[in-house]
Amino acid sequence: MKKLPLLLFMLLIVLNLVACDNNVGNDIIGNSKSDVKLETIPKSLKKKLSENVVIDAEIDTPKKLPKTAGIIPAKIKSLENKEKIKDILLGEEPIIINDKQTNKDREGKSIQEEYFRTESKKTLIWYGKLLTFSTPLSHDISDAFNPQTDDKNYNSKDLSFENRDQAIHNTKKFLKTLGVEVSENVRLNALDYKTMKEKQIKNYNEMIKGAEGKEKDKINPIRNWTQDDECYFMRFKQELNGICVSSGNGLGDAANKTETNGPIIDVYYGKQGYQSVFVGNIYEPTGNATQNGTPIDLNKALDIVKNKYDEVIMKRPITITDIEFSYVPQLKSANEENYILTPAWLFNLAEYSDDIKDSIDKRLIINALTGEQME
């Protein structure tokens, strides 16, 4: 149990979250400085911005940008209603393990971690500001579905046990019990048992080929999948004042120990109930917004990106692959639970090369109040 907080922390760093969706139109008019004038913000955009900058991006923003926004002081929120959540996830099953351990947060304050395990091997870890839950089925699902790479292998159709809208409604209600408010939009994958069976068999065969000796015995056997195993994977975004909080990780300055991560809200919900839940890094305002102003629009933000890269000689153009408007969490100082949430435009950039080793992925964040680069 002593290694558990470190493992959870590593999980937070590794996971990479997907931003909020929107449902606005695609009207595009020319003749701005960047040759892209957006009357409404589209869901996606393909455009050559200049010789050095190309757009081929999904766009994730609120339906309407706020007229005013400011920088919000915040802290990591403590999750709510532990006993209710325990009842929902563990039910009336006998708990065979119930461990408690006291750890320290960034400021040195004590946090109690609780670990629960039932006879059917359901596992719940309540860490005050972080919750993880898993079942034996979830381990087989992880052999068949990877949220980072399998988005296109599983569509968003309705599953037989419950339609997707009802599943989203039920899960939002569950998250509200935790004290977590989420965006209206959600990424959803319908994990049907036939596709999971095919994917697990494929992955199993690949792992067996690469394994030697006793390593083969450690590989999970192929599950006898049935329709009862089907579930929805849902990835939510935390929302404050109608704006999502960026789920990006590695935000801030690692050298000054002020690096932090965005919220993580991943849920697997199926016919047999919740199979996996991971909720952490939920931000809670601690005061009123300051430095209020009108956020720059997407046209202005694109001009800033264009100007930045047009000033340098480049071997090949930069491609903007994702665009997001959200609050970006920053840690103000090391060893303190003292955060600020700044409205910003986030651009994921890729510099492609015929040699994959020379391809570069990076992130550019523009403060939406000042137009200045944040990192």
Side-chain angles (χ1 to χ4, degrees):
M1 291 295 296
K2 292 183 179 179
K3 295 183 179 179
L4 202 49
L6 178 60
L7 292 174
L8 295 177
F9 178 74
M10 294 302 295
L11 279 171
L12 282 170
I13 294 177
V14 170
L15 287 175
N16 184 25
L17 303 186
V18 180
C20 310
D21 290 328
N22 64 78
N23 297 309
V24 293
N26 295 347
D27 300 324
I28 301 176
I29 302 173
N31 299 324
S32 76
K33 291 180 182 179
S34 61
D35 198 30
V36 177
K37 179 67 175 178
L38 301 172
E39 187 175 277
T40 57
I41 301 176
K43 294 181 68 175
S44 62
L45 181 63
K46 283 190 175 186
K47 183 74 178 180
K48 183 177 180 179
L49 202 60
S50 69
E51 290 301 317
N52 283 351
V53 183
V54 175
I55 307 172
D56 185 3
E58 299 295 318
I59 303 177
D60 302 302
T61 70
K63 291 181 179 180
K64 291 184 179 180
L65 292 186
K67 292 182 179 179
T68 60
I71 297 174
I72 301 175
K75 65 179 182 179
I76 301 293
K77 177 183 177 66
S78 293
L79 301 177
E80 301 172 6
N81 297 311
K82 180 184 69 177
E83 293 303 318
K84 285 185 179 180
I85 296 300
K86 190 173 75 171
D87 289 343
I88 292 171
L89 297 178
L90 302 181
E92 297 180 358
E93 284 190 45
I95 296 173
I96 60 174
I97 299 177
N98 182 7
D99 284 346
K100 294 183 180 180
Q101 181 176 331
T102 301
N103 295 288
K104 302 289 186 181
D105 66 9
R106 190 187 293 269
E107 293 182 319
K109 295 179 181 178
S110 295
I111 296 180
Q112 189 174 71
E113 174 187 338
E114 293 190 69
Y115 176 92
F116 304 92
R117 189 177 179 89
T118 68
E119 284 186 345
S120 67
K121 298 183 179 179
K122 290 180 180 179
T123 301
L124 170 64
I125 301 171
W126 183 278
Y127 194 54
K129 300 176 182 180
L130 180 133
L131 163 71
T132 67
F133 170 75
S134 64
T135 67
L137 173 57
S138 71
H139 301 305
D140 287 322
I141 292 173
S142 68
D143 289 339
F145 173 71
N146 183 333
Q148 306 344 308
T149 59
D150 283 335
D151 189 25
K152 295 181 180 179
N153 294 318
Y154 296 87
N155 59 30
S156 57
K157 66 183 180 182
D158 286 341
L159 296 173
S160 60
F161 75 91
E162 190 169 285
N163 68 56
R164 52 173 288 163
D165 290 338
Q166 187 62 45
I168 291 171
H169 172 79
N170 290 341
T171 305
K172 284 185 175 180
K173 185 178 179 181
F174 166 78
L175 293 171
K176 196 166 186 178
T177 304
L178 276 169
V180 179
E181 296 291 338
V182 296
S183 167
E184 177 184 344
N185 299 294
V186 55
R187 170 190 164 179
L188 180 144
N189 295 103
L191 310 184
D192 64 283
Y193 80 98
K194 291 181 180 179
T195 306
M196 286 195 286
K197 179 179 180 179
E198 292 172 2
K199 289 287 293 182
Q200 189 185 30
I201 291 173
K202 179 183 176 183
N203 293 337
Y204 176 85
N205 290 336
E206 289 176 355
M207 287 187 288
I208 284 292
K209 286 180 182 178
E212 296 181 358
K214 293 183 179 180
E215 290 181 357
K216 294 183 178 182
D217 297 332
K218 298 178 182 179
I219 299 173
N220 287 340
I222 296 171
R223 184 183 184 85
N224 181 23
W225 295 93
T226 70
Q227 201 167 36
D228 288 345
D229 299 329
E230 293 186 336
C231 67
Y232 293 103
F233 167 73
M234 290 170 275
R235 175 167 283 173
F236 295 88
K237 292 290 293 280
Q238 183 190 3
E239 185 176 271
L240 288 174
N241 306 326
I243 303 173
C244 289
V245 181
S246 176
S247 57
N249 50 41
L251 302 164
D253 188 349
N256 291 327
K257 297 182 180 180
T258 58
E259 196 171 44
T260 190
N261 301 304
I264 296 173
I265 311 171
D266 283 0
V267 180
Y268 292 77
Y269 170 79
K271 184 175 181 178
Q272 301 180 56
Y274 293 102
Q275 298 304 312
S276 177
V277 180
F278 198 117
V279 178
N281 272 22
I282 306 301
Y283 289 86
E284 180 178 44
T286 57
N288 296 324
T290 60
Q291 301 179 43
N292 292 288
T294 301
I296 61 173
D297 62 19
L298 179 54
N299 301 299
K300 178 62 177 176
L302 287 172
D303 283 336
I304 294 170
V305 178
K306 173 181 176 294
N307 293 337
K308 173 181 174 66
Y309 288 101
D310 280 354
E311 293 175 355
V312 298
I313 298 174
M314 301 178 62
K315 294 181 180 179
R316 46 189 177 266
I318 285 283
T319 300
I320 301 173
T321 58
D322 288 286
I323 301 172
E324 172 188 348
F325 181 90
S326 61
Y327 285 118
V328 172
Q330 296 172 287
L331 186 62
K332 291 180 68 176
S333 57
N335 302 320
E336 291 184 20
E337 290 288 325
N338 192 358
Y339 299 87
I340 55 173
L341 304 174
T342 303
W345 287 99
L346 294 84
F347 299 91
N348 285 339
L349 310 174
E351 188 175 348
Y352 298 118
S353 171
D354 293 335
D355 184 350
I356 193 169
K357 293 181 180 179
D358 291 334
S359 296
I360 300 171
D361 289 304
K362 50 189 171 183
R363 178 176 55 204
L364 178 64
I365 302 178
I366 304 296
N367 185 318
L369 300 176
T370 65
E372 298 176 351
Q373 184 175 338
M374 291 176 62
E375 65 171 42

